[in-house]
Amino acid sequence: LCIAETCPSCSVTVLSEQSSPNTTSDVAAGMLIPHTYPGTPIHVQKQWFKETFAYLFAISNSAEASEAGIHLVSGWQVFKNTPKEELPFWSDVVLGFRPMSKAELQKFPQHRFGQAFTTLKCDCPPYLLWLEKRLKATGVQMYTRKVADLWELHSEYNVVVNCAGIGARQLVGDEKLFPIRGQVLKVHAPWVKNFIRDGDGLTYIYPGIHRVTLGGTREKESWSLSPDAGTTKDIFDRCCALEPSLRGARDIEVKVGLRPSRQCVRLQREVLSQGGVQLPVVHNYGHGAGGFSVHRGTAKEAARLVGECIAALQGSSSRAKL
Ligand SMILES: Cc1cc2nc3c(=O)[nH]c(=O)nc-3n(C[C@H](O)[C@H](O)[C@H](O)COP(=O)(O)OP(=O)(O)OC[C@H]3O[C@@H](n4cnc5c(N)ncnc54)[C@H](O)[C@@H]3O)c2cc1C
Ligand SMILES: O=C(O)CCC(=O)C(=O)O
């Protein structure tokens, strides 16, 4: 969508093996709480987060908000012990970030420190369906197709953008990309209005417009997409310890996704070359546990790189004509 918007003369086609509701993005809670990528400078990650926050904030403040599934949500991140870093790098991007008061902390007798703030949440699938609708309105073609090798695309397209998530491990043989399995529950508990996140990042309660997401797990190198019943009970008990009213939650749905994890997002241009033929590629995958938090910022950079590929192609065709 970002490419179609920034380069209206491009004709864009989306090829995907799976689409909503069968992608990792459909499993996510969709909260804007960044995860740190150790291999990317903090100021770059902060810029990605800021751009994403500003983009979604504008949607949340428009008539589109409910259809797009974007809303502001306030709540608390609580810690059993005071963290080393009391001010995360994103504290001045979210709204109203402040330490919790003693009175607020009384809600969490097991925790000694906490941060209160307001952030944004994307509800999925609605947000993905809204993006799809906008893609179609811009004239983008969408096809269901598994790509086995990027080279199969060279005769049909001038530039290929690789946003394959965990699928990039096989598609481009990236061994630095690995899954971190996450199991979550989506429940009906409309009385839960505030988010609660344990600072260890394992247990969280994220209310959406229709369902509340309860999490979670982080299982490195596990490729299993099957829900585990013992894990479901464990997640539910952990969440009830933070928010006892969840014992009354109904319609528990269990979801599993594989976070496409890497030291850093792979956001770069590459020119593939075979038998004198070149294929410009822009990679944009490896967003790990924070894909929603930085999606617009990384998409903008990917679109800029596509612009560079087009300029290079135009340069080489005019040189060829000379
Ligand atoms: C349990 C859980 C909770 C999460 N919660 C949050 C959260 O609250 N906030 C947050 O910021 N992030 C969260 N995340 C992380 C987030 O979900 C991911 O970072 C994000 O979804 C990755 O998006 P993606 O588009 O790269 O991958 P995907 O959503 O997996 O999309 C990849 C697409 O590429 C297609 N594809 C792959 N290989 C091929 C191929 N060879 N040929 C054709 N198509 C292919 C797939 O079919 C799919 O359509 C969570 C993740 C999990 C698992
Ligand atoms: O970490 C969080 O709190 C948001 C959820 C998430 O990003 C995850 O489970 O990967």
Side-chain angles (χ1 to χ4, degrees):
L1 185 58
C2 206
I3 294 166
E5 286 168 357
T6 53
C7 177
S9 59
C10 289
S11 145
V12 180
T13 303
V14 176
L15 306 176
S16 62
E17 183 183 7
Q18 297 287 343
S19 47
S20 189
N22 300 316
T23 69
T24 307
S25 300
D26 287 282
V27 174
M31 282 290 283
L32 263 70
I33 294 188
H35 280 255
T36 309
Y37 303 104
T40 304
I42 289 291
H43 73 273
V44 174
Q45 303 186 42
K46 185 165 177 176
Q47 184 61 21
W48 293 342
F49 182 54
K50 259 176 130 163
E51 286 170 350
T52 307
F53 199 93
Y55 174 72
L56 293 176
F57 185 76
I59 299 173
S60 78
N61 214 15
S62 76
E64 298 282 298
S66 85
E67 191 192 339
I70 307 296
H71 62 110
L72 285 165
V73 57
S74 301
W76 308 284
Q77 168 156 246
V78 291
F79 296 80
K80 294 204 170 81
N81 296 301
T82 308
K84 269 191 262 147
E85 195 189 44
E86 286 191 29
L87 272 186
F89 74 83
W90 43 266
S91 60
D92 59 347
V93 179
V94 296
L95 309 177
F97 187 95
R98 59 172 175 81
M100 283 169 75
S101 67
K102 278 212 169 88
E104 284 171 308
L105 273 167
Q106 280 177 12
K107 177 165 170 58
F108 305 103
Q110 310 293 321
H111 296 77
R112 292 220 304 245
F113 177 84
Q115 300 154 338
F117 55 95
T118 298
T119 188
L120 286 150
K121 183 177 178 315
C122 312
D123 269 16
C124 286
Y127 180 52
L128 298 175
L129 296 174
W130 181 80
L131 290 173
E132 210 175 294
K133 189 169 143 186
R134 294 199 50 192
L135 277 174
K136 287 179 181 156
T138 344
V140 169
Q141 303 288 314
M142 299 187 69
Y143 299 110
T144 301
R145 169 168 163 188
K146 177 170 177 150
V147 178
D149 186 325
L150 295 180
W151 271 109
E152 38 175 280
L153 306 174
H154 93 270
S155 57
E156 289 168 84
Y157 303 101
N158 299 114
V159 181
V160 172
V161 184
N162 170 15
C163 305
I166 194 65
R169 166 100 176 210
Q170 202 185 6
L171 180 60
V172 293
D174 184 346
E175 302 222 328
K176 293 187 189 138
L177 182 70
F178 58 92
I180 299 189
R181 179 183 182 278
Q183 182 165 323
V184 289
L185 321 180
K186 308 249 174 175
V187 306
H188 181 73
W191 60 89
V192 176
K193 305 286 185 208
N194 294 102
F195 76 80
I196 305 170
R197 180 184 204 264
D198 192 307
D200 67 11
L202 209 57
T203 307
Y204 49 75
I205 299 163
Y206 290 140
I209 296 174
H210 303 292
R211 314 274 285 161
V212 184
T213 304
L214 310 183
T217 65
R218 297 186 194 274
E219 299 153 71
K220 216 171 158 180
E221 296 286 359
S222 168
W223 288 89
S224 167
L225 281 170
S226 309
D228 177 81
T231 306
T232 298
K233 183 179 178 316
D234 179 50
I235 293 171
F236 193 66
D237 288 346
R238 279 190 272 127
C239 289
C240 289
L242 280 176
E243 178 52 66
S245 72
L246 281 169
R247 287 279 166 216
R250 295 282 167 268
D251 300 334
I252 300 176
E253 202 187 347
V254 188
K255 299 260 185 188
V256 178
L258 305 179
R259 301 176 182 90
S261 304
R262 225 174 165 271
Q263 282 282 100
C264 56
V265 178
R266 185 168 182 206
L267 190 45
Q268 61 178 192
R269 262 173 83 190
E270 182 184 24
V271 180
L272 303 181
S273 209
Q274 217 174 67
V277 182
Q278 296 200 323
L279 178 64
V281 175
V282 173
H283 298 284
N284 182 16
Y285 67 84
H287 295 71
F292 279 87
S293 307
V294 296
H295 74 279
R296 185 68 186 188
T298 51
K300 275 179 82 170
E301 175 59 8
R304 194 188 64 75
L305 295 174
V306 168
E308 282 185 9
C309 294
I310 295 168
L313 285 171
Q314 284 167 344
S316 62
S317 72
S318 56
R319 271 196 304 277
K321 282 184 198 124
L322 286 172

